[in-house]
C-alpha cells in the first residue's frame, strides 16, 4: 500500500526540521495551558487580595501579583484562551470568506476577477485597528469587535493567496485534461485546485494566526478588544503601564507570554513552509 | 596540449554520484558534442568546467583549461576566466536574462568587467557583438529589455554575452532545446560560424544525435555519469560500434511499424473544420482607439477521416495549439464551425458536449504536469469516465481502468501508485490510457513526445501506432518535429501565421514541400541520415 | 495610452470613493440616529433635535453623503461635538505628532532592515546569518507597545535618560520635541525592521536562484557583485510590497504607541472621541487614515513600474 510519497517525505522532513519541532512544542504547550486553565489555575482569577498586591515573583505567586493582588500566572493562563479564541475565529473568518472569493476570481477571470480584486483593495484599506475603531464607536467595546476587525483584515489576505495559487494551477495540463473529461469549474476547483493549494493555505493560516495574537493584544491594550473582568494579555499590559515603576513584573510576564506564543507560531509556520514548500513553482 | 582536458572527473552531489571518471578533451577550434539522455550528467560536466556547481557538490579528478588547473583555482581566478576565456550559453532563453536590465547593459557588463574599457569603447564593442549575432542596433537598440524580444532573439543576446570577449572555449548547454526547429537551425548556424571565425573550442551539450551530427567534430556519449563512447563524429555514428550509441542512433531515426492491413477507413468524415478563426483581443493602444487584434487562427478548414492519422506541423506561435484547443472544445472559435460526425460542436453547452467529449480525448506534452500529484493512477486514468451518462460500479470502473492500462503496456497492479512513482515514459503511457478509456474515436495529441528522451520517444510512438491499428482511433498530432510526423501520420498540414499553407500525404509533403513555411521546416529539421550522408560525401 | 500608471491612479481614486462610502455607512447609517447615539439615552429631545439640525441629519441620505464628500474635498470635516471646533483643526494639530512619528519610524526601520537583510543573504548559512535571523525571528514576535513599555522602564524610569512620556510641542523647539519621539520611534521601528529584514533576505535568496543569476556569474561577476547588480533590484518588488503594508501597520502602531507615551497625536484624539461618542471626530480621523493607506498602496503600485520595465506601458 503506497501513500503519497509527499506524506512520507514530509513527515521525515518535519521531524528533522528544527524550527518545526521547536514551534510545535511551544505551540502545543501554550494550547495545553489554555485547556488546563478551564479546569485548574493556581488561583481563581476573580480573587482579589489587596493586602498581597504588587508582589514580585515568589514561591506562592510564581509570576507575582497585580495591583489588586491577583495571581499573574493564573491571569496569563486564562488570558491565553481569549487570545487563541480571537485569533482562531478570525483566521476561520478569513479562510471561510477569502478562499472561496479567491478561487471564484481565479476560476472565472475577466470582469468577476477584476471586481473581486478591487473589492480586495478596498478591504485592504481598513487595517484591523481602523475597523475596530469604527465598530467600537458605533456598538461600544467588546471582544467580538476584535474578532470582526481582525477577521475582515484576514479576508483579502486569504483571497489573494488562494487566487494566486489557483491562477498558477489552472493552466496546468491536468486541469485541461479534467476539462476535457467534462468537469466543470466548481468540480475541478474542489477535486484538483483546492487540494493542491492546501499546503499554502496551512502556512498562511499559521502566519495569520500569529498576526492575530499580536493584533488582539494591541486592540485589547487600547480598550477596543475584550473587556474586564475577562483577563486578556493586552489588557494586563495596559494596567501594568501605570504601575511600571512600582511593579515592572506586571508588564514583563504578559508581554513574554505574547512573545513566546507568537514566536512558537512563527517557528511552526517557517518549519511548515520548509517542509511543505508551498511555492508552487517547484511543484512539478 | 588540449584547450580543455578533463581527466577522471568524478562528481558527487550530497551522497549521490553524478559523474564517474569522465574523460574529455577539446582542441582549439574543435566542436565537441557531449550527448546523453536526461540525468546523464551532461550539464553537471559543463558546470564543473565553469566551477558553478551547487554548494553541496564535490568534484575529484582533473580539469585543465589552457594551462589552468580549474579544480584547484581560487574563486577570484575563476571570476577572471568566466566570461573572458570561457563563455557559456544556457538552455532556457526566456529566463536567462535579467528582466530589469536592458540588453545593452547586460552585454556591456562583462566587457567592462574584464577589459576595464571606457564607456564609449564598451558601447562600441557591445554594438559590434550584438550586430554579429544578428541583432543590429538599428532594429534592436541597446535600450531594449529582454521581455521585448522573442525567445530566439533572447538566445542571441545570451550568445552575445558569452562571445563578447571572444573566449577560447564556449560551452553551450542544450542551447536550442527550448526553440523550434527553424530557430534551432539558425542558432546552431550562428554558433558554428562564431566558433570558426574566432577559432574557439565549443563544448555543445545535447540530447539529440541528429542535432550534433551536422556540426560536431567529435562526440562523447554519456550515460548515468559514465562515458560510453567517444571519438570522431562520422566514425562514431557510421560504425555505431558501441551498443548504447547504436541504441541512441536507432531511436532517433525510429519509424514505428504501422499495420496498414488493419487501416480503418470507410467510415467517412470524423472531424470537419470549416473556416475556423480565433481572434484574441490585444491591448488598447489609446483610450478611444480600437483594440489591436491578433488572429491566432485564420480561416482554417480541413477534414479528418475516421482512423486517419494527421499531423499539424508548424513553428512555435503559428497557432497550432490554439487550433487544437478549439477542436477539443477547451476554447471557442470566434468564427467558423467545427463538427464531429457532422454534428456541430463549437457552440454546444458544456452539458451538451458530454457525449461529444467521450469521443475525443487529449494527450499533452508534459508527462509531469499531466497528472494531479495527489491522485492514484486508477483515479487519474478513470477521470474521463465522468463523461458516461450512467456512473459505473467500482468493479466496472476498475475493469475499464485495467483494460486501458493493459492496452498501453502498464501492469494493472500499478493502479495504486502515485504519478511520481512512474518514470517519464510510463507517465506518458498513463496519459494515453486516460485518453483511451472512454474508447474515443479521436485523440488530439499536443507535442506528445517532445519532452521525452529519444529511446522512450520511440516506444511511445510505437504505442500510438499500435493503438491506431488496433482501436482505429484517429489522431491529430500537433508537433514541430517532422520526425514525429513522418513516423506515424498519413497526412500532414503545415500551419504558418494562423493559416494552413500546405497539406498532403505526409511522405510527399516532407520530401517535396511547396510552401515557404514547409520548406523552412524541412530544411531546418535535424536528420541523422542526411547529416551523415553529407559528411561522408565531404570526406570523399 | 491607458498605461499601467494611469490605470492604477484611476483604481486608487475609485477605491478612495468606495472607502468613503464604507466609512459613511458604518458611522452615519448603521447607528440609525447618530445624534441619539452621540448624546446617549438620557439626552432631551430638544438637544437631540438640535444636534440633528447641526449635523444635517434631516436631509436625505444621498444629499448628506455628497455634502460630506464635498466637505472632505474642501477640507471641511464638520465640527467636533465635544470640542466645539472644526474637526480639521483638531486633526492638523494632532497630525503634527503622528505623521513625524510614523515617518521617522519608517525611515529608521528601513535603514536598519535593508543592510541587515543584504548582510544575511550574502552570508547565507553562516553563523552570522543564523544569529541575525534568529534575532529577527524574536523581533517579529515582540508587540511594539510592550517593547515600548520595556524601553520606558529601562531608559526613562531606571536610567532617566529621556522623558517617560508627553510631548512639549514643536513650539518648544526642534530638539525637545524630537527627543520625546526617540523612544516611540525605536519601539515602532525595531519590530518592523525585523519583519523587513527577513523579507529582504528571503526575496534576495529567491532571486539568487534564478537562471539569470547564473548567466551573470558565467560573465565572471563575483557572488557579491551579482547580489548588488542583479539580485537587489529584482528583489525590490516584494520588499516594496512589504514596505507599503508596513506603513499601514505603522499608522496603526502609531495610534497604539501614543497611548504608551501619552503623546497628543491622532491616536489619543480618536480614543477620546470614542469614549465621548464623538462620531464626527472618529469619522474624520478614520477617513484620513484610510485615505493615507490607499495613497501609500498607490505609490507602491506606481513604484513597481519604476523598478520593473515589464509593467511600463502595460495595462
Amino acid at each position: 500500500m503506497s501513500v503519497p510519497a509527499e506524506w512520507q517525505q514530509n513527515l521525515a522532513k518535519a521531524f528533522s526540521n528544527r524550527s518545526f519541532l521547536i514551534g510545535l512544542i511551544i505551540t502545543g504547550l501554550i494550547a495545553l495551558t489554555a485547556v488546563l486553565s478551564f479546569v485548574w489555575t493556581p488561583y481563581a482569577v476573580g480573587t482579589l487580595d489587596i493586602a498581597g498586591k504588587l508582589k514580585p515573583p515568589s514561591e506562592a505567586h510564581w509570576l507575582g501579583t497585580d495591583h489588586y493582588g491577583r495571581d499573574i500566572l493564573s491571569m496569563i493562563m486564562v488570558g491565553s484562551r481569549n487570545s487563541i479564541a480571537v485569533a482562531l475565529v478570525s483566521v476561520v473568518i478569513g479562510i471561510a470568506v477569502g478562499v472561496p472569493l479567491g478561487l471564484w476570481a481565479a476560476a472565472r477571470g475577466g470582469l468577476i476577477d477584476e471586481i473581486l480584486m478591487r473589492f480586495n483593495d478596498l478591504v485592504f484599506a481598513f487595517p484591523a485597528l481602523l475597523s475596530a475603531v469604527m465598530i467600537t464607536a458605533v456598538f461600544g467595546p467588546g471582544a467580538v469587535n476584535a474578532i470582526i476587525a481582525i477577521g475582515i483584515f484576514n479576508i483579502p489576505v486569504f483571497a489573494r493567496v488562494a487566487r494566486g495559487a489557483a491562477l498558477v494551477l489552472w493552466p496546468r495540463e491536468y486541469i485541461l485534461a479534467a476539462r476535457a473529461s467534462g468537469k466543470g469549474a466548481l468540480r475541478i476547483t474542489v477535486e484538483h485546485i483546492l487540494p493542491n493549494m492546501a499546503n499554502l493555505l496551512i502556512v498562511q493560516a499559521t502566519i495569520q494566526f500569529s498576526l492575530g495574537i499580536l493584533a488582539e493584544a494591541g486592540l485589547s491594550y487600547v480598550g477596543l478588544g475584550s473587556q474586564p473582568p475577562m483577563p486578556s494579555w493586552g489588557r494586563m499590559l495596559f494596567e501594568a503601564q501605570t504601575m511600571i515603576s512600582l511593579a515592572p513584573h506586571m508588564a514583563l510576564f504578559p508581554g513574554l507570554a505574547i512573545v513566546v506564543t507568537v514566536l512558537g507560531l512563527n517557528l511552526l509556520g517557517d518549519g511548515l513552509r520548509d517542509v511543505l514548500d508551498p511555492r508552487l513553482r517547484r511543484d512539478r | 596540449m588540449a584547450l580543455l582536458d578533463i581527466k577522471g572527473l568524478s562528481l558527487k552531489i550530497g551522497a549521490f554520484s553524478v559523474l564517474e571518471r569522465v574523460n574529455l578533451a577539446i582542441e582549439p577550434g574543435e566542436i565537441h558534442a557531449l550527448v546523453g539522455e536526461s540525468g546523464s550528467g551532461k550539464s553537471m560536466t559543463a558546470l564543473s568546467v565553469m566551477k558553478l556547481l551547487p554548494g553541496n557538490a564535490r568534484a575529484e579528478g582533473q580539469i585543465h583549461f589552457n594551462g589552468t588547473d580549474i579544480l584547484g583555482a581560487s574563486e577570484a581566478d575563476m571570476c577572471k576566466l568566466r566570461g573572458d576565456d570561457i563563455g557559456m550559453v544556457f538552455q532556457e532563453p526566456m529566463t536567462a536574462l535579467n528582466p530589469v536590465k536592458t540588453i545593452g547593459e547586460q552585454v556591456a557588463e562583462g566587457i567592462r568587467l574584464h577589459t576595464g574599457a571606457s564607456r564609449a569603447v564598451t558601447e562600441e564593442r557591445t554594438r559590434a557583438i550584438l550586430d554579429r549575432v544578428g541583432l543590429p542596433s538599428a532594429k534592436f537598440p541597446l535600450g531594449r529589455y529582454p521581455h521585448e524580444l522573442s525567445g530566439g532573439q533572447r538566445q542571441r543576446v545570451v550568445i552575445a554575452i558569452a562571445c563578447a570577449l571572444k573566449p577560447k572555449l564556449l560551452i553551450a548547454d542544450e542551447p536550442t532545446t527550448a526553440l523550434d526547429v527553424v530557430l534551432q537551425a539558425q542558432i546552431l548556424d550562428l554558433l558554428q560560424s562564431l566558433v570558426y571565425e574566432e577559432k574557439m573550442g565549443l563544448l555543445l551539450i545535447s540530447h539529440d544525435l541528429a542535432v550534433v551530427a551536422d556540426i560536431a567534430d567529435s562526440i562523447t556519449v554519456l550515460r548515468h555519469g559514465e562515458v560510453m563512447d567517444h571519438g570522431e563524429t562520422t566514425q562514431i555514428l557510421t560504425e555505431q560500434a558501441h551498443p548504447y550509441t547504436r541504441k541512441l542512433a536507432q531511436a532517433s531515426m525510429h519509424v514505428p511499424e504501422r499495420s496498414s492491413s488493419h487501416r480503418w477507413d470507410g467510415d467517412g468524415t470524423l472531424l470537419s473544420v470549416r473556416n475556423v478563426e480565433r481572434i484574441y483581443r490585444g491591448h488598447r493602444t489609446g483610450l478611444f482607439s480600437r483594440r489591436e487584434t491578433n488572429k491566432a487562427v485564420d480561416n482554417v478548414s480541413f477534414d479528418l477521416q475516421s482512423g486517419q492519422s494527421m499531423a499539424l506541423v508548424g513553428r512555435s506561435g503559428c497557432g497550432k495549439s490554439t487550433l487544437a484547443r478549439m477542436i477539443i472544445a477547451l476554447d471557442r472559435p470566434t468564427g467558423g464551425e467545427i463538427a464531429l460526425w457532422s454534428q456541430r460542436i463549437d457552440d454546444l453547452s458544456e452539458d451538451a458536449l458530454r457525449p461529444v467529449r467521450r469521443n475525443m480525448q487529449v494527450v499533452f506534452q508534459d508527462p509531469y504536469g499531466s497528472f494531479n500529484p495527489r491522485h492514484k493512477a486508477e483515479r487519474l486514468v478513470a477521470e474521463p469516465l465522468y463523461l458516461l451518462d450512467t456512473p459505473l460500479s467500482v468493479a466496472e470502473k476498475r475493469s475499464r481502468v485495467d483494460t486501458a492500462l493493459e492496452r498501453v503496456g502498464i501492469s494493472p497492479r500499478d493502479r495504486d501508485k502515485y504519478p511520481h512513482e512512474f518514470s517519464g515514459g510510463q507517465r506518458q503511457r498513463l496519459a494515453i490510457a486516460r485518453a483511451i478509456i472512454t474508447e474515443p474515436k479521436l485523440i488530439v495529441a499536443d507535442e506528445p513526445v517532445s519532452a521525452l528522451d529519444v529511446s522512450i520517444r520511440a516506444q511511445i510512438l510505437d504505442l500510438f501506432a499500435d493503438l491506431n491499428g488496433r482501436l482505429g482511433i484517429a489522431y491529430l498530432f500537433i508537433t514541430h518535429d517532422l520526425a514525429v510526423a513522418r513516423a506515424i501520420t498519413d497526412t500532414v498540414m503545415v500551419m504558418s501565421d494562423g493559416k494552413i499553407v500546405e497539406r498532403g500525404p505526409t511522405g510527399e509533403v516532407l520530401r517535396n514541400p511547396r510552401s515557404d513555411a514547409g520548406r523552412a521546416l524541412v530544411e531546418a529539421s535535424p536528420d541523422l541520415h542526411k547529416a551523415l550522408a553529407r559528411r561522408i560525401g565531404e570526406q570523399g | 495610452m491607458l498605461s499601467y500608471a494611469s490605470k492604477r491612479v484611476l483604481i486608487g481614486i475609485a477605491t478612495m470613493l468606495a472607502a468613503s462610502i464604507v466609512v459613511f455607512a458604518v458611522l452615519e447609517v448603521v447607528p440609525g440616529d447618530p445624534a441619539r447615539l452621540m448624546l446617549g439615552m438620557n439626552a432631551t429631545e430638544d438637544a437631540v433635535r438640535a444636534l440633528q439640525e447641526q449635523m444635517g441629519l434631516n436631509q436625505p441620505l444621498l444629499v448628506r453623503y455628497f455634502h460630506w464628500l464635498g466637505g472632505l474635498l474642501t477640507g471641511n470635516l464638520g465640527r467636533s461635538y465635544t470640542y466645539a471646533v472644526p474637526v480639521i483643526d483638531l486633526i492638523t494639530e494632532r497630525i503634527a505628532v503622528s505623521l513625524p512619528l510614523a515617518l521617522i519610524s519608517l525611515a529608521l526601520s528601513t535603514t536598519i532592515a535593508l543592510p541587515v537583510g543584504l548582510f544575511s543573504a550574502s552570508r547565507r548559512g553562516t553563523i552570522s546569518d543564523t544569529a541575525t535571523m534568529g534575532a529577527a525571528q524574536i523581533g517579529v514576535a515582540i508587540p511594539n507597545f510592550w517593547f515600548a513599555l520595556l524601553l520606558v522602564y529601562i531608559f526613562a524610569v531606571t536610567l532617566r535618560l529621556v522623558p517617560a512620556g508627553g510631548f512639549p510641542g514643536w513650539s518648544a523647539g526642534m530638539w525637545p520635541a524630537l527627543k520625546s519621539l526617540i523612544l516611540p520611534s525605536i519601539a515602532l521601528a525595531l519590530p518592523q525592521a525585523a519583519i523587513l529584514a527577513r523579507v529582504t533576505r528571503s526575496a534576495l535568496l529567491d532571486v539568487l536562484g534564478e537562471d539569470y543569476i547564473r548567466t551573470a556569474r558565467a560573465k565572471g561577476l563575483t557572488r557579491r557583485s551579482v547580489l548588488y547588480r542583479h539580485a537587489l533590484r529584482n528583489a525590490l518588488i516584494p520588499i516594496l510590497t512589504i514596505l507599503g503594508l508596513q506603513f499601514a501597520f505603522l499608522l496603526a502602531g502609531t495610534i497604539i504607541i501614543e497611548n504608551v507615551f501619552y503623546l497628543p497625536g491622532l491616536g489619543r484624539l480618536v480614543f477620546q472621541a470614542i469614549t465621548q461618542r464623538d462620531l464626527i471626530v472618529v469619522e474624520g480621523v478614520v477617513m484620513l487614515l484610510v485615505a493615507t493607506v490607499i495613497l501609500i498602496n498607490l505609490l507602491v503600485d506606481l513604484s513597481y513600474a519604476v523598478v520593473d520595465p515589464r509593467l511600463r506601458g502595460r495595462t
Side-chain angles (χ1 to χ4, degrees), chain A:
Chain A
M1 177 69 200
S2 62
V3 249
E6 236 196 300
W7 293 5
Q8 290 174 345
Q9 285 168 10
N10 286 351
L11 219 62
K13 260 197 279 174
F15 284 97
S16 58
N17 183 301
R18 210 163 23 133
S19 9
F20 177 82
L21 275 182
I22 301 174
L24 189 69
I25 292 169
I26 296 179
T27 317
L29 285 178
I30 305 272
L32 271 181
T33 318
V35 173
L36 180 67
S37 76
F38 282 102
V39 289
W40 179 83
T41 50
Y43 296 83
V45 285
T47 319
L48 309 188
D49 175 11
I50 302 299
K53 69 176 185 181
L54 299 177
K55 287 277 185 295
S58 66
E59 216 158 287
H61 297 278
W62 289 3
L63 303 184
T65 60
D66 75 353
H67 54 308
Y68 293 122
R70 291 175 295 187
D71 180 54
I72 290 181
L73 176 60
S74 307
M75 290 182 69
I76 289 179
M77 285 175 69
V78 175
S80 70
R81 289 185 223 159
N82 187 61
S83 290
I84 293 172
V86 171
L88 195 65
V89 178
S90 336
V91 169
V92 171
I93 292 175
I95 292 178
V97 184
V99 172
L101 280 182
L103 291 174
W104 191 36
R108 293 297 299 273
L111 193 62
I112 301 271
D113 186 25
E114 186 76 11
I115 291 171
L116 285 172
M117 286 306 104
R118 297 290 77 83
F119 170 75
N120 244 13
D121 286 353
L122 175 62
V123 182
F124 251 129
F126 290 87
L129 185 84
L130 289 186
S131 307
V133 161
M134 291 204 297
I135 298 168
T136 310
V138 175
F139 297 104
V144 178
N145 297 1
I147 292 180
I148 297 174
I150 302 171
I152 288 177
F153 173 77
N154 281 340
I155 291 173
V157 173
F158 281 102
R160 256 186 208 197
V161 171
R163 174 178 176 273
L167 283 180
V168 173
L169 292 172
W170 268 103
R172 288 277 159 94
E173 294 182 341
Y174 63 84
I175 304 289
L176 292 178
R179 288 176 57 201
S181 300
K183 292 186 173 168
L186 181 64
R187 202 175 180 96
I188 288 175
T189 298
V190 172
E191 270 184 32
H192 294 294
I193 305 274
L194 205 50
N196 279 297
M197 60 190 266
N199 288 348
L200 203 66
L201 293 178
I202 292 171
V203 171
Q204 194 64 42
T206 320
I207 295 170
Q208 294 312 115
F209 195 98
S210 93
L211 284 177
I213 300 266
L214 277 177
E216 193 281 331
L219 291 181
S220 54
Y221 169 76
V222 291
L224 298 177
S226 67
Q227 297 297 306
M230 179 68 187
S232 76
W233 295 345
R235 205 69 207 157
M236 290 172 76
L237 287 174
F238 173 76
E239 283 161 5
Q241 187 178 335
T242 42
M243 308 285 160
I244 189 93
S245 48
L246 295 171
H249 68 271
M250 268 180 73
L252 186 63
F253 295 115
L256 280 181
I258 299 172
V259 173
V260 170
T261 310
V262 174
L263 188 62
L265 283 165
N266 285 346
L267 287 172
L268 186 67
D270 278 9
L272 278 173
R273 189 200 301 270
D274 291 346
V275 173
L276 301 175
D277 188 27
R279 275 169 299 179
L280 289 160
R281 60 191 163 85
R282 275 208 243 154
D283 171 20
R284 47 176 278 167

Side-chain angles (χ1 to χ4, degrees), chain B residues 175-241:
Chain B
T176 58
T177 308
L179 306 172
D180 68 38
V181 283
V182 176
L183 285 172
Q184 164 163 291
Q186 292 171 358
I187 294 290
L188 289 175
D189 227 32
L190 173 63
L191 284 175
Q192 198 177 9
S193 60
L194 279 169
V195 165
Y196 179 75
E197 276 166 30
E198 308 294 342
K199 295 274 168 288
M200 295 178 204
L202 171 64
L203 177 59
L204 177 64
I205 295 174
S206 177
H207 64 281
D208 191 346
L209 277 179
V211 165
V212 302
D214 228 4
I215 65 167
D217 301 310
S218 45
I219 291 185
T220 298
V221 180
L222 210 56
R223 184 193 193 193
H224 301 323
E226 286 180 74
V227 174
M228 293 284 113
D229 198 3
H230 66 100
E232 197 271 325
T233 306
T234 323
Q235 192 189 351
I236 288 265
L237 292 181
T238 45
E239 290 173 8
Q240 298 182 5

Side-chain angles (χ1 to χ4, degrees), chain B residues 364-387:
Chain B
F364 294 107
Q365 170 179 5
D366 183 1
Y368 296 87
S370 286
F371 298 104
N372 185 337
R374 280 154 206 279
H375 291 175
K376 291 181 184 174
E378 179 171 9
R379 183 165 177 195
L380 295 168
V381 171
E383 185 156 44
L385 293 179
Y386 177 73
L387 288 166

